Amino acid sequence: MTEKSRTINQWYVSFEKGKDFDSWGQLVEAAEEYSRLARDLKKHCALGNKMFQEEQKKLMLKMSACFEKRSKILLSTQARDDEISFDDIKKVGEVLRNLNVGWNGPFPVRIEEPKTSDTDVTEYGDENGTEHVSSVAEGGSLLPRIPFEEGYHRLVVRINQIGLKDAHVYINPFFTVSVKDANGVNVTPAQDTTTSNRVNGKFINFDTDVEIQKPIEKLPRG
């Protein structure tokens, strides 16, 4: 089996996992799986990536956009005009399953065609117009800022550094940030910071912001 085939098979396993969560009503888990899959598909569409042909990359970008939209819909409390339904996601899964052998028909879901990118940097702005840049390195899974809503407060966790007795022995350390309810169930997608090997004595420096994917007012009590 070629590396391309293995990669596509891994994606399809991830898709099936997300689809199962989706069908069972485990919305947070499904959203996490879809979002992770969307990022990985998009990462492999970089201009310097030679594993996939250009036509395959176009399909991958469309699939990535669909998975990302479905992820956001599952975590949203408001109806959206550009909704991607569960039936739509199943159709996208068929495209993914046949990606290696080729997909000859039209893309089964109406989606705006994204652009191929040569960078992993995502730009976004806050409600005051200030631009922020989040560089998501390989292995990280930081999500962009959530949309501003009048009357709601967004929460950003700032991770500066961690003090460890033997900081120098840790290889590619990172933080996973999530919010759980009183039963230990995730109520927002878990996010991994980028790895950091910036060791300063007993400290590992991260200097990373992680935005919780729900406003404070929408988080469960307890």
Side-chain angles (χ1 to χ4, degrees), residues 72-96:
K72 291 179 179 178
I73 287 166
L74 292 178
L75 297 176
S76 176
T77 58
Q78 299 177 346
R80 296 167 59 110
D81 294 333
D82 58 347
E83 184 166 316
I84 299 290
S85 69
F86 181 63
D87 285 339
D88 289 334
I89 281 296
K90 289 192 289 185
K91 294 174 184 176
V92 176
E94 282 301 300
V95 180
L96 178 59

Side-chain angles (χ1 to χ4, degrees), residues 8 13 20 30 41 44 59 63 76 93 138 164-166 218:
I8 294 173
V13 169
D20 286 344
L41 282 165
H44 281 77
L59 288 173
M63 287 188 286
S76 176
E138 185 171 352
L164 299 166
K165 181 179 179 181
D166 299 311
K218 293 184 180 181

Side-chain angles (χ1 to χ4, degrees), residues 135-152:
S135 179
V136 181
E138 185 171 352
S141 60
L142 296 180
L143 298 172
R145 301 198 75 179
I146 59 176
F148 172 73
E149 295 181 66
E150 189 72 35
Y152 290 92

Side-chain angles (χ1 to χ4, degrees), residues 119-218:
T119 177
D120 287 328
V121 175
T122 303
E123 295 185 359
Y124 50 88
D126 64 11
E127 66 276 17
N128 296 319
T130 305
E131 287 192 341
H132 300 264
V133 176
S134 174
S135 179
V136 181
E138 185 171 352
S141 60
L142 296 180
L143 298 172
R145 301 198 75 179
I146 59 176
F148 172 73
E149 295 181 66
E150 189 72 35
Y152 290 92
H153 297 83
R154 297 181 294 189
L155 176 62
V156 176
V157 177
R158 174 70 176 176
I159 302 173
N160 289 319
Q161 61 184 15
I162 182 172
L164 299 166
K165 181 179 179 181
D166 299 311
H168 64 282
V169 305
Y170 290 86
I171 300 174
N172 296 330
F174 63 92
F175 278 91
T176 297
V177 179
S178 65
V179 179
K180 298 180 183 293
D181 64 16
N183 296 316
V185 177
N186 280 347
V187 295
T188 64
Q191 301 180 68
D192 296 338
T193 67
T194 57
T195 59
S196 174
N197 291 300
R198 291 180 291 134
V199 179
N200 182 13
K202 293 184 178 181
F203 296 93
I204 301 175
N205 296 319
F206 285 86
D207 299 321
T208 298
D209 290 333
V210 183
E211 176 144 351
I212 303 304
Q213 295 295 296
K214 281 186 180 180
I216 294 174
E217 290 79 6
K218 293 184 180 181

